[in-house]
Amino acid sequence: MNSPVVVRQAEQPPADAVVALEKYGVSTVHEAQGRCGLLAPYMRPIFSGATIAGPAVTVSVPPGDNLMIHVAVEVCRPGSILVVVPTSPCTDGYFGELLATSLRAYGVKGLVIDAGCRDVKSLTEMKFPVWSRAISSQGTVKATLGSVNVGVVCAGAFIEAGDVIVADDDGVIVVKRAVAQQVAAASEQRVRKEEATRERLARGELGLDIYGLRAKIKELGLEYL
Amino acid sequence: MNSPVVVRQAEQPPADAVVALEKYGVSTVHEAQGRCGLLAPYMRPIFSGATIAGPAVTVSVPPGDNLMIHVAVEVCRPGSILVVVPTSPCTDGYFGELLATSLRAYGVKGLVIDAGCRDVKSLTEMKFPVWSRAISSQGTVKATLGSVNVGVVCAGAFIEAGDVIVADDDGVIVVKRAVAQQVAAASEQRVRKEEATRERLARGELGLDIYGLRAKIKELGLEYL
Amino acid sequence: MNSPVVVRQAEQPPADAVVALEKYGVSTVHEAQGRCGLLAPYMRPIFSGATIAGPAVTVSVPPGDNLMIHVAVEVCRPGSILVVVPTSPCTDGYFGELLATSLRAYGVKGLVIDAGCRDVKSLTEMKFPVWSRAISSQGTVKATLGSVNVGVVCAGAFIEAGDVIVADDDGVIVVKRAVAQQVAAASEQRVRKEEATRERLARGELGLDIYGLRAKIKELGLEYL
Amino acid sequence: MNSPVVVRQAEQPPADAVVALEKYGVSTVHEAQGRCGLLAPYMRPIFSGATIAGPAVTVSVPPGDNLMIHVAVEVCRPGSILVVVPTSPCTDGYFGELLATSLRAYGVKGLVIDAGCRDVKSLTEMKFPVWSRAISSQGTVKATLGSVNVGVVCAGAFIEAGDVIVADDDGVIVVKRAVAQQVAAASEQRVRKEEATRERLARGELGLDIYGLRAKIKELGLEYL
Amino acid sequence: MNSPVVVRQAEQPPADAVVALEKYGVSTVHEAQGRCGLLAPYMRPIFSGATIAGPAVTVSVPPGDNLMIHVAVEVCRPGSILVVVPTSPCTDGYFGELLATSLRAYGVKGLVIDAGCRDVKSLTEMKFPVWSRAISSQGTVKATLGSVNVGVVCAGAFIEAGDVIVADDDGVIVVKRAVAQQVAAASEQRVRKEEATRERLARGELGLDIYGLRAKIKELGLEYL
Amino acid sequence: MNSPVVVRQAEQPPADAVVALEKYGVSTVHEAQGRCGLLAPYMRPIFSGATIAGPAVTVSVPPGDNLMIHVAVEVCRPGSILVVVPTSPCTDGYFGELLATSLRAYGVKGLVIDAGCRDVKSLTEMKFPVWSRAISSQGTVKATLGSVNVGVVCAGAFIEAGDVIVADDDGVIVVKRAVAQQVAAASEQRVRKEEATRERLARGELGLDIYGLRAKIKELGLEYL
């Protein structure tokens, strides 16, 4: 049963895995972990060029009410990424420059919010990265409780406190804490393999040959006219 | 009953209120006027960085027909913001570089259109700001009448001629003419208050404490684990 | 009846028409060819500022499966624009930096995809232009056939191999191969006419007068108050 | 400036106009009043076959909070139609069988809500008609104020207390109180005219001839092949 | 180049193929012709239970303007299905009871419209079937030309005059005239095969066995826990 | 890390809790478990009037590929509800009459699918209930693996094998297996309480008084005019 709660402590992922995942970026990590964990593509960065990774502090909020974001700041730690999800679809501007100032004072790396964000000009100047579903000035109240560090579904992905969030220009992905190390290693392998492939493709070799697809398309019965 | 009409004169808002509102921007004004008047977040600027405020010249147009925009130019005055709304949802490109050239010749500051806009590269080079629901080359005809300076609903907000439009990277808001002065004053107060809050947050104080929320969350029964 | 096929050769449009259409851009070409052929406005460039035109190589792909893009590379030629359409709506990231490297090696100018694209940071650095309906890291498989160079409906427009695609910041348009020359000529005429109009509008003349609309609005019964 | 308020009394439309408008239905009334006032087509009845008309009691509610609907019941009177609008887009289920029971006890004819409705099976059995943008069980809280009988924008239409709402299987329309009588008369005229037209069309006469369109299409230059 | 035109005559599909396709319905025909030709699923019937098939009379209309539907009636023949497509996205109610009365007088079987429809209660009583993207009372004008019996893209499918439209509760599909006979035959085969399969499934046999999928899932490496 | 797997056994919820939850329906259960677990309102029944509850058998499928549904049938048991989720958004018609025949042979109560369904006329005649995001004939292939009885996010809700699904005309909700008993009990309490409230409301008492809201709205500062 669902009642408002704040979980102060969440198990954290290995620090080196976080560093590695930030380096590889969303698309590589997505492939490396078996094509799962991606948030819906409507989650877009408010400015381009930022790449961040860090353990999630999750916040479940009522529609149009940002009281719990204020509660959540206190349980963030340096390197955290705040993940905010309304309990029903909402585009209100829960978050702006003042909250970013507060999060930055606590070392939080950025925000992922399945709702709206405002003060985008100031946030861009501050270089505080946000991935959101909307940009909206619509203000929120501080009247109703929600929960911090419980499991949430954000833009179609299930996220628990301490899971690793990776976000860049391609979008946002969650890597479960327990496999973060393993996914980081698989990402490294994938990057190496892609480097070799890139060179061959640049020289004019075809993916059909590099990936050995000619036999497959023949077997599947593709007809050339 | 609804018949095509052009209202040549509309009462104008106080000039100093317009100047002030332009300075404070959409999110501040929205909070200051009690969280109302915001246009839907699908209204986005075609380029970032512009902030404008001015009295609305409203235009109600049929879908796919921009005849009335040409009619409206004549009743604009320096500082006006043109607000164009189709009578049913439409993404056609009613507006491009030529109309912007014409509006600029009349001193119009920018366009808010609940439809499409085209020639975005040229408009960006001209620095003519437009907030629209779509970018689309789809051309329009000049066959059917509409109205100018009547009340319209634009992206969910009711706007009358002479109301103040404020638009920036966060979106677009309407301030009713009659309260423009009052909202400008309230915005000024809000900005001052936020400056103090920003400093405290930057030093690591929590919103929970600054806004006195600890008692409230305790009363509401939030449980910490 | 529909079975997987690759058409190796498609008739090509006149080279000089392609050069001309690229110069005029989407909005001008759209008006010049009688306001048809535009793709839906949800097709957006991943970076702004690019304008390309070229003959289409069309690819019909299953949802979530990019096998046929690899097949299509081989039938591209310098100057081609790849047009990729899933057989049902899909936002998966069919295309990224590696495929762009391969296409560039074959002289392909850019991609129009009614689905998702990823590696947008790399693609932007490579200056490989893409117009897509989504940005998404979601990976695809290589399991099922589709077709190359058959007629496709892309974002609401019917496109055949060898038709001319024009794409810029305003969107994407298709010009049927058979009328490319004629549309290029009409675009040239339109541009000249617009130059004269632009100057008159900049001096403060009204569209109402330039386009001779005063008689029409009077006849239609517009009332001025 | 916007602060929570309940307006107890609103001027009411002429009772006979309401009776007439209910008889003619949405599409006829829409044409009769000059094609304005229609709510967006996403507003759908939860069951088909109901037609209602009555003066609006308007309610502006926060997202996810139905406190003000309870407040509004008290100012309804027999024949009222309740019009509920969230201050930002929301699909929560603000309304169900219990509130319908309460409204029915006060003689309210039905509900128009730009949000969600639940208990649709019970409401259908009760024959309590609702037009909504969504069906959703998502519950709401009772924590924050809104306003009753102020002007609202509902599904794109501006509605004031005492305006006439007409709703049927085609959708929902608002007729401004001041013109209700006039629109009812124009609807009656339209219905009579349509009866004659219907008979002629049923006999095989063409709209082209009945509406005198042949000259127009010739003048506009339509070519027959 | 695009100019308004009415093509009076279109080649018609074999009558017996039309009869057969109507019998098999959309889902069977879709599979039988190789999974192509389906219109987007937002095209829904205004009442359930109708199944129709017939040759298309296509109409390209401007947004918010139904002049060309009146023009099209004259070129319909008994058994035709009218297919109406706006040149840009539009939900206006182009079509209602009067036009249905007119079409019925000409023997037209039904309407497929990638826009809005109104008078749904009357149309349901008349049993005149319509598949549309919206139900909307929003009226249209009669001011601008379009074309009849030219190729159109309707809800994502390319349709030419004389192609066979099949529509039922599952949606709408187009079968190209040239393959109508062949698709009808393939549909018949499919139906027979499905009857046998249905019986086996009803007895508790598994699709895994009937379709011989066990080897495949083993080869693909599915792991059972 | 994500690899294709079928979990044959899942812990099951208490049978009497399932029986009870089916009796109370979605809206009551939703309130009783603290307003969580609801699937997005785009999940609609293909026919109205059905209410079902049962333990979930979850299926994660690639877009446009229903191979794993065939795999899943074998692990269903009498009373199961099949929950199918594509790995990226898809409206294809994964499911029709044949699969329903197969599931019924295994005692499956119904289907919840975050994609498309077809053969709705036959399914309605069979009284096999389906909740889906779309109705679409678009066929699927059987080429790629997915997983059965792993955790999935379906229409915004996290569902694990053996969780209880409740579905009716109001939508679909998931009750976690571990709290099913407790939620059933809370639902019973809620129903009893509502019965009393319903009677009072029907007599004309106000929710303002029954729920004790008058003090609250006074404290919050609501102004009556």
Side-chain angles (χ1 to χ4, degrees):
Chain A
M1 308 264 288
N2 188 35
S3 65
V5 72
V6 177
V7 179
R8 286 190 189 274
Q9 302 284 344
E11 221 165 317
Q12 297 296 299
D16 55 341
V18 172
V19 169
L21 292 168
E22 189 170 290
K23 187 174 63 180
Y24 301 123
V26 175
S27 291
T28 295
V29 167
H30 171 65
E31 289 288 341
Q33 81 172 337
R35 294 178 183 160
C36 65
L38 197 69
L39 277 66
Y42 63 70
M43 297 295 288
R44 297 298 304 143
I46 59 167
F47 56 84
S48 60
T51 303
I52 60 171
V57 170
T58 64
V59 195
S60 171
V61 295
D65 192 315
N66 77 353
L67 173 56
M68 293 308 292
I69 302 184
H70 290 280
V71 171
V73 178
E74 203 176 17
V75 304
C76 287
R77 51 181 78 185
S80 295
I81 294 178
L82 203 65
V83 175
V84 178
V85 187
T87 51
S88 59
C90 188
T91 58
D92 288 356
Y94 285 79
F95 186 91
E97 182 215 357
L98 289 182
L99 272 166
T101 302
S102 184
L103 288 180
R104 179 147 283 175
Y106 275 70
V108 174
K109 279 184 163 179
L111 170 74
V112 172
I113 180 166
D114 194 358
C117 168
R118 62 186 186 181
D119 300 336
V120 294
K121 198 171 185 174
S122 303
L123 293 172
T124 303
E125 287 164 4
M126 289 173 68
K127 293 282 171 211
F128 188 90
V130 176
W131 286 257
S132 71
R133 82 178 302 165
I135 290 169
S136 172
S137 290
Q138 184 68 42
T140 52
V141 298
K142 293 174 181 56
T144 305
L145 295 179
S147 292
V148 175
N149 276 340
V150 298
V152 293
V153 171
C154 181
F158 181 61
I159 303 178
E160 292 170 293
D163 287 344
V164 185
I165 301 299
V166 188
D168 64 17
D169 289 355
D170 279 355
V172 186
I173 195 170
V174 58
V175 178
K176 301 307 290 178
R177 190 183 49 72
V179 296
Q181 201 72 270
Q182 193 182 351
V183 172
S187 299
E188 169 64 20
Q189 286 184 329
R190 187 172 168 86
V191 163
R192 283 199 195 152
K193 197 171 148 197
E194 284 196 348
E195 270 164 32
T197 306
R198 188 180 299 108
E199 277 178 39
R200 294 176 67 183
L201 291 168
R203 284 197 303 262
E205 280 189 72
L206 284 167
L208 281 184
D209 298 308
I210 296 174
Y211 305 125
L213 297 169
R214 288 210 192 268
K216 183 168 205 172
I217 60 177
K218 194 172 174 187
E219 182 201 333
L220 290 171
L222 185 61
E223 190 182 2
Y224 280 83
L225 302 183
Chain B
M1 308 265 288
N2 188 35
S3 63
V5 72
V6 178
V7 179
R8 287 190 188 274
Q9 302 284 344
E11 222 164 319
Q12 297 296 297
D16 56 339
V18 171
V19 169
L21 292 168
E22 188 170 290
K23 185 174 65 181
Y24 300 123
V26 175
S27 290
T28 294
V29 167
H30 171 67
E31 289 288 341
Q33 82 171 338
R35 295 178 182 160
C36 64
L38 197 68
L39 277 65
Y42 64 69
M43 296 295 288
R44 298 299 304 145
I46 60 166
F47 56 85
S48 61
T51 302
I52 60 172
V57 170
T58 63
V59 195
S60 172
V61 294
D65 192 315
N66 77 353
L67 172 57
M68 294 308 292
I69 301 185
H70 290 280
V71 171
V73 178
E74 202 175 20
V75 305
C76 286
R77 50 180 79 185
S80 294
I81 293 178
L82 202 65
V83 175
V84 178
V85 187
T87 51
S88 60
C90 189
T91 58
D92 288 356
Y94 286 78
F95 186 92
E97 182 214 357
L98 289 183
L99 271 166
T101 302
S102 184
L103 288 180
R104 179 147 284 174
Y106 275 70
V108 174
K109 279 184 164 180
L111 170 74
V112 171
I113 181 165
D114 194 357
C117 167
R118 62 186 187 181
D119 299 336
V120 294
K121 197 170 186 176
S122 302
L123 293 171
T124 303
E125 287 164 4
M126 288 173 67
K127 292 282 169 213
F128 188 90
V130 175
W131 286 256
S132 71
R133 81 178 302 164
I135 291 168
S136 171
S137 291
Q138 183 69 43
T140 52
V141 297
K142 293 174 181 56
T144 305
L145 295 179
S147 291
V148 175
N149 277 338
V150 298
V152 293
V153 172
C154 181
F158 181 62
I159 303 177
E160 291 170 296
D163 287 345
V164 185
I165 302 298
V166 189
D168 63 17
D169 289 354
D170 280 356
V172 185
I173 195 170
V174 57
V175 178
K176 302 306 290 176
R177 191 183 48 74
V179 296
Q181 201 72 268
Q182 195 181 349
V183 173
S187 299
E188 168 66 19
Q189 286 184 332
R190 186 173 168 86
V191 163
R192 284 198 193 152
K193 197 172 149 196
E194 283 196 350
E195 270 165 32
T197 306
R198 187 180 299 110
E199 278 179 39
R200 294 175 66 183
L201 291 168
R203 284 196 305 262
E205 280 189 74
L206 284 166
L208 281 184
D209 298 309
I210 295 174
Y211 305 125
L213 298 169
R214 289 209 192 268
K216 183 169 205 172
I217 60 178
K218 194 174 174 184
E219 183 200 334
L220 290 171
L222 185 60
E223 190 183 1
Y224 280 83
L225 301 184
Chain C
M1 308 266 288
N2 189 35
S3 64
V5 71
V6 177
V7 179
R8 285 191 189 274
Q9 303 283 345
E11 221 165 319
Q12 298 296 298
D16 56 340
V18 172
V19 169
L21 292 167
E22 188 171 290
K23 185 174 65 180
Y24 301 124
V26 175
S27 291
T28 294
V29 168
H30 171 67
E31 289 288 343
Q33 82 171 338
R35 292 178 184 161
C36 64
L38 197 69
L39 277 66
Y42 63 70
M43 296 295 288
R44 298 297 305 144
I46 60 167
F47 56 84
S48 61
T51 302
I52 60 171
V57 170
T58 64
V59 195
S60 172
V61 295
D65 192 315
N66 77 352
L67 172 57
M68 293 308 293
I69 302 184
H70 290 281
V71 171
V73 178
E74 203 177 16
V75 305
C76 288
R77 50 181 81 185
S80 294
I81 293 178
L82 203 65
V83 175
V84 178
V85 187
T87 50
S88 60
C90 188
T91 59
D92 289 356
Y94 285 77
F95 186 91
E97 181 214 359
L98 289 183
L99 271 165
T101 302
S102 184
L103 287 180
R104 178 147 285 173
Y106 275 70
V108 173
K109 278 184 163 179
L111 171 74
V112 171
I113 180 165
D114 194 358
C117 167
R118 61 187 187 182
D119 300 335
V120 295
K121 199 171 184 175
S122 304
L123 293 171
T124 303
E125 286 163 4
M126 288 173 68
K127 293 284 172 211
F128 188 91
V130 176
W131 286 256
S132 71
R133 82 178 301 164
I135 290 169
S136 171
S137 290
Q138 183 69 41
T140 51
V141 297
K142 293 173 182 58
T144 305
L145 295 179
S147 291
V148 174
N149 276 341
V150 297
V152 293
V153 172
C154 181
F158 181 61
I159 303 177
E160 290 169 295
D163 287 345
V164 185
I165 302 299
V166 188
D168 64 16
D169 288 356
D170 280 356
V172 185
I173 196 170
V174 57
V175 178
K176 301 307 290 176
R177 190 182 49 75
V179 296
Q181 200 73 268
Q182 193 182 352
V183 173
S187 300
E188 169 65 21
Q189 287 184 330
R190 187 173 167 85
V191 164
R192 284 198 194 150
K193 195 171 151 198
E194 283 197 348
E195 269 165 32
T197 307
R198 187 180 299 109
E199 276 179 39
R200 294 174 66 183
L201 291 168
R203 285 196 303 263
E205 279 190 74
L206 283 166
L208 282 184
D209 298 309
I210 295 174
Y211 305 124
L213 297 169
R214 289 208 191 270
K216 182 169 205 172
I217 61 178
K218 194 171 174 187
E219 181 201 334
L220 290 170
L222 184 62
E223 189 183 4
Y224 281 83
L225 302 184
Chain D
M1 309 265 288
N2 188 35
S3 64
V5 72
V6 178
V7 179
R8 285 190 189 275
Q9 304 283 344
E11 222 164 318
Q12 298 296 297
D16 55 341
V18 172
V19 169
L21 292 169
E22 189 172 289
K23 186 174 65 180
Y24 301 123
V26 175
S27 290
T28 294
V29 168
H30 170 67
E31 289 288 342
Q33 82 172 338
R35 295 180 183 159
C36 65
L38 196 70
L39 277 65
Y42 64 70
M43 296 295 288
R44 298 299 303 145
I46 60 167
F47 55 84
S48 61
T51 303
I52 60 172
V57 171
T58 63
V59 194
S60 172
V61 295
D65 192 315
N66 77 353
L67 172 56
M68 293 309 292
I69 301 185
H70 291 279
V71 171
V73 178
E74 203 176 18
V75 305
C76 287
R77 51 180 79 186
S80 293
I81 293 178
L82 202 65
V83 175
V84 178
V85 188
T87 50
S88 59
C90 188
T91 59
D92 288 356
Y94 285 78
F95 186 91
E97 181 214 358
L98 288 182
L99 271 166
T101 302
S102 184
L103 288 180
R104 179 148 283 173
Y106 275 70
V108 174
K109 280 184 163 179
L111 169 74
V112 171
I113 180 166
D114 194 358
C117 168
R118 62 186 188 181
D119 300 335
V120 293
K121 198 170 185 176
S122 303
L123 294 171
T124 303
E125 287 163 5
M126 290 172 67
K127 293 282 170 213
F128 188 91
V130 176
W131 286 256
S132 71
R133 80 178 303 163
I135 291 169
S136 171
S137 290
Q138 183 68 43
T140 51
V141 298
K142 294 174 180 58
T144 305
L145 295 178
S147 291
V148 175
N149 276 339
V150 297
V152 293
V153 172
C154 181
F158 181 61
I159 303 177
E160 291 170 295
D163 287 345
V164 185
I165 302 298
V166 188
D168 64 17
D169 289 355
D170 279 357
V172 185
I173 195 170
V174 57
V175 178
K176 301 307 292 177
R177 190 183 48 75
V179 295
Q181 201 72 270
Q182 193 181 350
V183 172
S187 299
E188 169 65 20
Q189 287 184 331
R190 187 173 167 85
V191 164
R192 283 198 194 153
K193 196 172 150 197
E194 283 196 348
E195 271 166 30
T197 306
R198 188 181 299 109
E199 278 179 39
R200 294 175 67 183
L201 291 168
R203 285 197 302 263
E205 280 190 72
L206 283 167
L208 282 184
D209 298 309
I210 296 174
Y211 304 125
L213 298 169
R214 288 208 193 269
K216 183 169 205 171
I217 60 177
K218 194 172 174 185
E219 182 200 336
L220 290 171
L222 184 61
E223 190 183 1
Y224 280 83
L225 301 183
Chain E
M1 308 265 288
N2 187 36
S3 65
V5 72
V6 177
V7 180
R8 286 190 190 274
Q9 303 284 344
E11 221 165 318
Q12 298 295 299
D16 56 340
V18 171
V19 170
L21 292 168
E22 188 170 289
K23 185 174 64 179
Y24 301 123
V26 175
S27 290
T28 294
V29 169
H30 171 66
E31 288 288 342
Q33 82 171 338
R35 294 178 183 160
C36 65
L38 198 69
L39 277 66
Y42 62 71
M43 296 296 287
R44 297 299 304 144
I46 60 166
F47 55 84
S48 60
T51 303
I52 59 171
V57 170
T58 63
V59 195
S60 172
V61 295
D65 192 315
N66 76 353
L67 172 57
M68 293 308 293
I69 302 185
H70 291 280
V71 171
V73 178
E74 203 176 17
V75 304
C76 287
R77 51 180 79 185
S80 294
I81 294 178
L82 203 64
V83 175
V84 178
V85 187
T87 50
S88 60
C90 187
T91 60
D92 288 356
Y94 285 77
F95 186 92
E97 181 214 358
L98 288 182
L99 271 166
T101 301
S102 184
L103 287 180
R104 179 148 282 175
Y106 275 69
V108 173
K109 280 184 163 179
L111 170 73
V112 171
I113 180 166
D114 193 358
C117 168
R118 62 187 188 182
D119 300 336
V120 294
K121 199 172 186 174
S122 303
L123 293 172
T124 304
E125 288 164 4
M126 289 173 68
K127 293 284 172 212
F128 188 89
V130 176
W131 285 256
S132 71
R133 81 179 302 165
I135 290 169
S136 171
S137 289
Q138 183 69 42
T140 51
V141 297
K142 293 173 182 56
T144 305
L145 296 179
S147 291
V148 174
N149 276 340
V150 298
V152 293
V153 172
C154 181
F158 181 62
I159 302 177
E160 291 169 294
D163 288 344
V164 184
I165 302 298
V166 188
D168 63 18
D169 289 355
D170 280 355
V172 185
I173 194 170
V174 58
V175 178
K176 301 307 289 178
R177 190 182 49 73
V179 296
Q181 201 74 267
Q182 192 182 352
V183 172
S187 300
E188 169 65 20
Q189 286 184 331
R190 188 174 167 85
V191 164
R192 283 199 194 152
K193 196 171 150 197
E194 283 197 348
E195 270 164 32
T197 307
R198 188 181 298 108
E199 277 178 40
R200 295 175 66 182
L201 291 168
R203 284 197 303 263
E205 279 189 73
L206 283 167
L208 282 184
D209 298 309
I210 295 174
Y211 304 124
L213 297 169
R214 288 209 193 268
K216 183 169 204 171
I217 61 178
K218 194 172 173 186
E219 181 200 335
L220 289 171
L222 184 62
E223 191 182 2
Y224 280 84
L225 300 184
Chain F
M1 309 266 288
N2 189 34
S3 64
V5 71
V6 178
V7 179
R8 286 191 189 273
Q9 303 284 344
E11 223 165 318
Q12 298 296 298
D16 56 340
V18 172
V19 170
L21 292 168
E22 189 170 290
K23 185 173 64 179
Y24 301 124
V26 175
S27 291
T28 295
V29 168
H30 172 66
E31 289 288 342
Q33 80 171 338
R35 293 176 184 162
C36 64
L38 197 68
L39 277 65
Y42 64 70
M43 296 296 288
R44 299 299 304 145
I46 59 166
F47 56 85
S48 61
T51 303
I52 60 172
V57 170
T58 63
V59 195
S60 172
V61 295
D65 192 315
N66 77 353
L67 172 57
M68 294 308 293
I69 301 184
H70 291 279
V71 171
V73 178
E74 202 176 19
V75 304
C76 287
R77 50 181 80 185
S80 294
I81 294 177
L82 202 64
V83 175
V84 178
V85 188
T87 50
S88 60
C90 188
T91 59
D92 288 357
Y94 285 78
F95 186 92
E97 181 215 359
L98 289 183
L99 271 166
T101 302
S102 184
L103 287 180
R104 179 149 282 174
Y106 275 70
V108 174
K109 280 184 162 179
L111 171 74
V112 171
I113 181 166
D114 194 358
C117 168
R118 61 187 187 180
D119 300 335
V120 294
K121 199 171 186 175
S122 304
L123 293 171
T124 303
E125 287 164 5
M126 289 173 67
K127 292 285 172 211
F128 188 90
V130 176
W131 285 255
S132 71
R133 81 178 302 166
I135 290 169
S136 172
S137 290
Q138 183 70 40
T140 52
V141 297
K142 293 174 182 55
T144 305
L145 296 180
S147 292
V148 174
N149 276 340
V150 297
V152 292
V153 172
C154 182
F158 181 62
I159 303 177
E160 291 169 296
D163 287 345
V164 185
I165 302 299
V166 188
D168 63 17
D169 289 355
D170 280 356
V172 185
I173 194 169
V174 58
V175 179
K176 302 306 290 177
R177 192 184 46 77
V179 297
Q181 201 72 268
Q182 193 181 350
V183 172
S187 299
E188 169 65 20
Q189 286 184 331
R190 186 173 169 86
V191 164
R192 283 198 194 152
K193 197 171 150 197
E194 283 196 348
E195 271 165 31
T197 306
R198 189 180 298 110
E199 278 179 38
R200 296 174 66 183
L201 292 168
R203 284 197 303 263
E205 279 190 74
L206 283 167
L208 281 184
D209 298 308
I210 295 174
Y211 306 123
L213 297 169
R214 289 208 193 270
K216 182 169 206 172
I217 61 178
K218 193 172 173 185
E219 182 201 335
L220 289 171
L222 185 61
E223 190 183 2
Y224 280 84
L225 301 184

